[in-house]
Amino acid sequence: MFVAKQSGQAATLGFYSLSFSLENTNKLSKPEDRDAWRNGAPLLYIDYLAVQTPFQSQKLGQFMLIDALKRSHDVSRSVAFYGVALRSLNDRTTGLYTRFGFNVAPNETNHPLMILPIWSVNDLFNQA
Ligand SMILES: CC(C)(COP(=O)(O)OP(=O)(O)OC[C@H]1O[C@@H](n2cnc3c(N)ncnc32)[C@H](O)[C@@H]1OP(=O)(O)O)[C@@H](O)C(=O)NCCC(=O)NCCS
């Protein structure tokens, strides 16, 4: 669990957590990816991403999402996995994740699984 705090303050403003999971290959959009990862696609999941209500809409959620992607980029130097994934809560969060390059996986409707391939994440941070 990674928490966001104001320096010198005890209160938690927001948090996220990461875990690994193996996803069925049919959740990958491209046929060539489904072929390459035919035994399952390892994904680094952002399990929770939340900001305390009084601190919402002040860019902390975006900041933590970027922090999670940077951490994923660092992990990808040592561990092979297909990409970063999460389940979106509603249309507004789907908009947020889409702006960061996540795509809704095939046949997902409610709380859709969204995936961002790790090479896209690595492109982002290798250019920085
Ligand atoms: C979703 C959440 C993490 C975003 O963090 P935030 O600091 O409030 O958001 P930011 O200021 O970084 O804004 C970025 C985008 O987040 C989304 N967002 C902001 N507040 C939101 C809310 N209350 N509910 C859903 N999405 C929200 C919007 O897409 C927003 O972009 P926009 O203002 O252009 O519409 C935060 O609002 C939250 O914890 N909501 C409740 C729990 C939740 O929905 N978690 C996500 C699970 S997928």
Side-chain angles (χ1 to χ4, degrees):
M1 177 89 69
F2 302 99
V3 300
K5 295 181 178 221
Q6 260 163 347
S7 94
Q9 304 286 317
T12 295
L13 309 186
F15 65 92
Y16 71 87
S17 72
L18 299 173
S19 68
F20 268 112
S21 182
L22 197 65
E23 190 61 60
N24 193 307
T25 304
N26 65 17
K27 291 296 170 188
L28 306 184
S29 303
K30 294 184 180 171
E32 60 268 33
D33 290 346
R34 289 199 288 274
D35 202 35
W37 297 86
R38 64 177 81 78
N39 294 326
L43 297 173
L44 189 51
Y45 262 92
I46 302 176
D47 297 303
Y48 300 99
L49 175 71
V51 174
Q52 299 270 25
T53 310
F55 302 100
Q56 288 179 6
S57 299
Q58 297 173 45
K59 306 292 176 202
L60 184 56
Q62 285 188 52
F63 182 88
M64 289 197 297
L65 183 55
I66 292 167
D67 194 65
L69 295 179
K70 174 68 169 63
R71 214 173 282 280
S72 309
H73 169 63
D74 293 344
V75 171
S76 77
R77 295 176 195 272
S78 321
V79 183
F81 58 99
Y82 177 79
V84 181
L86 48 78
R87 284 204 172 267
S88 179
L89 205 60
N90 53 47
D91 288 348
R92 199 157 166 220
T93 53
T94 298
L96 165 66
Y97 303 131
T98 302
R99 287 201 296 277
F100 277 82
F102 285 81
N103 283 308
V104 174
N107 303 314
E108 291 284 327
T109 48
N110 283 346
H111 298 177
L113 174 70
M114 299 184 77
I115 300 176
L116 177 61
I118 194 62
W119 57 86
S120 298
V121 177
N122 292 343
D123 279 353
L124 201 67
F125 290 104
N126 287 335
Q127 283 167 18

